[in-house]
């Protein structure tokens, strides 16, 4: 693993992020031209790395935003949008998915997910001057981390035993839409998907509660064994992996891991800063990212992913934690249905 973690480069992530969080992409709203450009860019990186395309349409898992909007409206408590004309053609939005096949002839048919969302909130209406929400930390930082981790694992002489799926979601800012779509339309069997690590807001160290350097929080830290695995990886790489006394549980349902956990997959989100200046603000820009720290965090993630992907056993939900009970039940239902 030493050679693998050393391939994780701060400068490489700086290059990717400077494009994804640039004004050219106009805040990567869902749907938008900027979001489409981001999807094409991520797919191009997966292709250059050598990941196998796994989206159904090359690296893309396509969905029609017009249909998804109707589903969002039907959710309990969803605001009623103003009436608008029915579109005459699909508006395509895309999850971007690549897979690195495992080396073991049996375990390669099980999967570990490494995910992030690549959308943001777009452009501020009726604003003068700067009006683009660049979303450098939220969540271009997670997106470039997925790309960088894919590159690191693809360069291994001997791949991990299990397959690793690298995936970026659309529509997180609209209510986890892309990850919920994947959960309902999985490319890889849910019952064979053993864990997920979602990466969100890992670029800024200026947490609202104080600086977070060489430190990362895990949502739902003790809901499953994945939290302890990430903690062990942090101990090996010099990163403090911890459970925030409030935000760890509070934010478990606030990012794309939730949609996967609802399917029974032990999936958690890592974040360096739960709250930071410029959150969903115009100032969340690329020059404020701590790239060296982000590389350190991703080295810990790489060690955790490798441990899960090479282990004969799979991470389990904590049966003693009542907050994990519904996810554990979902997992048991999946297994019994096989």
């Amino acid at each position: 693993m030493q050679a693998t973690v050393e391939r994780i480069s701060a400068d490489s992530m700086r290059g990717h992020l400077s494009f994804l969080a640039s004004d050219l992409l106009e805040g990567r709203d869902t749907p938008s031209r900027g979001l489409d450009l981001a999807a094409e860019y991520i797919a191009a990186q997966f292709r250059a790395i050598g990941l196998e395309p796994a989206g159904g349409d090359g690296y893309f898992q396509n969905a029609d935003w017009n249909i998804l909007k109707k589903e969002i409206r039907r959710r309990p408590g969803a605001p009623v949008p103003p009436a608008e004309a029915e579109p005459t053609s699909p508006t395509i939005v895309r999850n971007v998915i690549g897979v690195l096949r495992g080396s073991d002839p049996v375990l390669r048919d099980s999967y570990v997910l490494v995910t992030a969302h690549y959308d943001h909130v777009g452009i501020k209406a009726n604003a003068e001057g700067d009006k683009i929400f660049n979303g450098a930390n939220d969540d271009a930082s997670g997106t470039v981390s997925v790309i960088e981790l894919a590159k690191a694992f693809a360069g291994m002489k001997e791949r991990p035993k299990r397959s690793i799926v690298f995936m970026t979601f659309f529509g997180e800012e609209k209510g986890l839409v892309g990850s919920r779509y994947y959960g309902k339309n999985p490319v890889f069997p849910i019952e064979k998907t053993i864990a997920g690590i979602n990466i969100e807001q890992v670029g800024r160290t200026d947490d609202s509660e104080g600086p977070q350097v060489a430190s990362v929080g895990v949502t739902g830290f003790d809901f499953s064994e994945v939290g302890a695995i990430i903690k062990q990886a942090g101990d090996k790489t010099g990163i403090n992996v911890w459970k925030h006394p409030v935000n760890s549980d509070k934010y478990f349902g606030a990012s794309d891991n939730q949609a996967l956990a609802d399917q029974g997959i032990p999936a958690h989100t890592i974040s360096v800063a739960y709250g930071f200046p410029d959150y969903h603000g115009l100032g969340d820009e690329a020059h404020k990212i701590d790239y060296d720290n982000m590389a350190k965090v991703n080295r810990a993630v790489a060690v955790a992913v490798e441990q899960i992907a090479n282990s004969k056993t799979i991470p389990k939900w904590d049966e003693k934690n009542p907050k994990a009970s519904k996810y554990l039940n979902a997992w048991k239902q999946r297994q019994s249905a096989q």
Side-chain angles (χ1 to χ4, degrees):
M1 277 302 292
Q2 186 62 34
T4 301
V5 298
E6 287 177 356
R7 279 191 288 272
I8 295 173
S9 162
D11 286 340
S12 175
M13 288 188 287
R14 187 194 306 270
H16 295 310
L17 198 147
S18 65
F19 175 74
L20 290 171
S22 68
D23 285 355
L24 177 68
L25 271 63
E26 299 177 334
R28 309 186 306 280
D29 197 9
T30 302
S32 69
R33 171 182 171 274
L35 189 76
D36 293 341
L37 287 172
E40 293 286 355
Y41 183 87
I42 297 162
Q45 303 312 311
F46 285 179
R47 187 176 298 110
I49 289 165
L51 297 186
E52 179 183 324
D57 177 16
Y59 293 95
F60 301 127
Q61 182 187 39
N62 296 333
D64 184 352
W65 182 248
N66 301 321
I67 295 173
L68 295 176
K69 276 196 303 184
K70 295 177 182 178
E71 295 178 1
I72 295 169
R73 292 190 189 112
R74 289 195 294 265
R75 290 179 189 169
V80 179
E84 55 185 38
E86 285 290 326
T88 58
S89 59
T91 299
I92 299 301
V93 287
R94 300 176 287 186
N95 291 325
V96 190
I97 311 173
V99 61
L100 189 72
R101 295 288 177 181
S103 59
D104 186 273
V106 175
L107 296 180
R108 72 194 307 266
D109 292 326
S110 59
Y111 305 90
V112 182
L113 303 184
V114 180
T115 63
H117 73 90
Y118 71 98
D119 66 305
H120 196 51
V121 298
I123 298 175
K124 187 173 184 179
N126 304 317
E128 296 182 3
D130 185 9
K131 58 183 180 181
I132 295 174
F133 295 98
N134 298 95
N137 195 39
D138 183 18
D139 187 29
S141 69
T143 301
V144 302
S145 296
V146 171
I147 294 170
E148 195 67 10
L149 286 161
K151 181 191 74 175
F153 277 98
M156 295 181 76
K157 291 183 179 178
E158 184 176 350
R159 294 180 177 181
K161 295 177 181 179
R162 302 182 191 273
S163 296
I164 306 174
V165 178
F166 298 92
M167 176 160 44
T168 61
F169 299 114
F170 69 86
E172 190 267 0
E173 303 289 3
K174 296 289 198 290
L176 316 182
V177 184
S179 54
R180 291 186 193 278
Y181 183 81
Y182 180 86
K184 293 178 181 178
N185 305 275
V187 173
F188 303 97
I190 294 293
E191 62 273 13
K192 295 291 186 180
T193 304
I194 66 164
I197 297 178
N198 186 60
I199 307 173
E200 170 104 27
Q201 297 179 187
V202 291
R204 297 280 290 268
T205 57
D206 51 339
D207 189 286
S208 57
E209 298 181 358
Q212 295 293 327
V213 178
S215 177
V216 68
V218 180
T219 63
F221 184 96
D222 49 5
F223 290 11
S224 87
E225 294 173 342
V226 171
I229 293 170
I230 300 173
K231 176 71 168 64
Q232 292 166 8
D235 292 344
K236 293 177 181 178
T237 55
I239 295 292
N240 176 42
V241 179
W242 66 302
K243 176 181 179 177
H244 190 285
V246 175
N247 292 337
S248 174
D249 291 2
K250 176 182 178 181
Y251 286 110
F252 185 79
S255 194
D256 289 307
N257 68 284
Q258 174 71 64
L260 304 173
D262 284 342
Q263 302 297 321
I265 302 168
H268 303 252
T269 293
I270 65 161
S271 299
V272 171
Y274 287 106
F276 63 97
D278 313 314
Y279 172 73
H280 280 199
L282 295 170
D284 183 13
E285 298 180 340
H287 68 274
K288 296 180 181 179
I289 299 296
D290 186 335
Y291 294 95
D292 289 332
N293 190 74
M294 189 160 65
K296 292 176 183 176
V297 167
N298 282 319
R299 290 175 188 129
V301 176
V303 172
V305 170
E306 186 270 345
Q307 181 175 335
I308 296 170
N310 275 325
S311 177
K312 294 180 180 179
T313 60
I314 65 174
K316 298 179 179 63
W317 293 104
D318 185 353
E319 295 192 18
K320 298 179 180 179
N321 189 332
K323 293 182 178 180
S325 60
K326 71 174 184 178
Y327 310 118
L328 175 61
N329 289 337
W331 178 254
K332 288 180 177 178
Q333 289 172 9
R334 287 282 185 182
Q335 298 307 303
S336 64
Q338 289 190 69

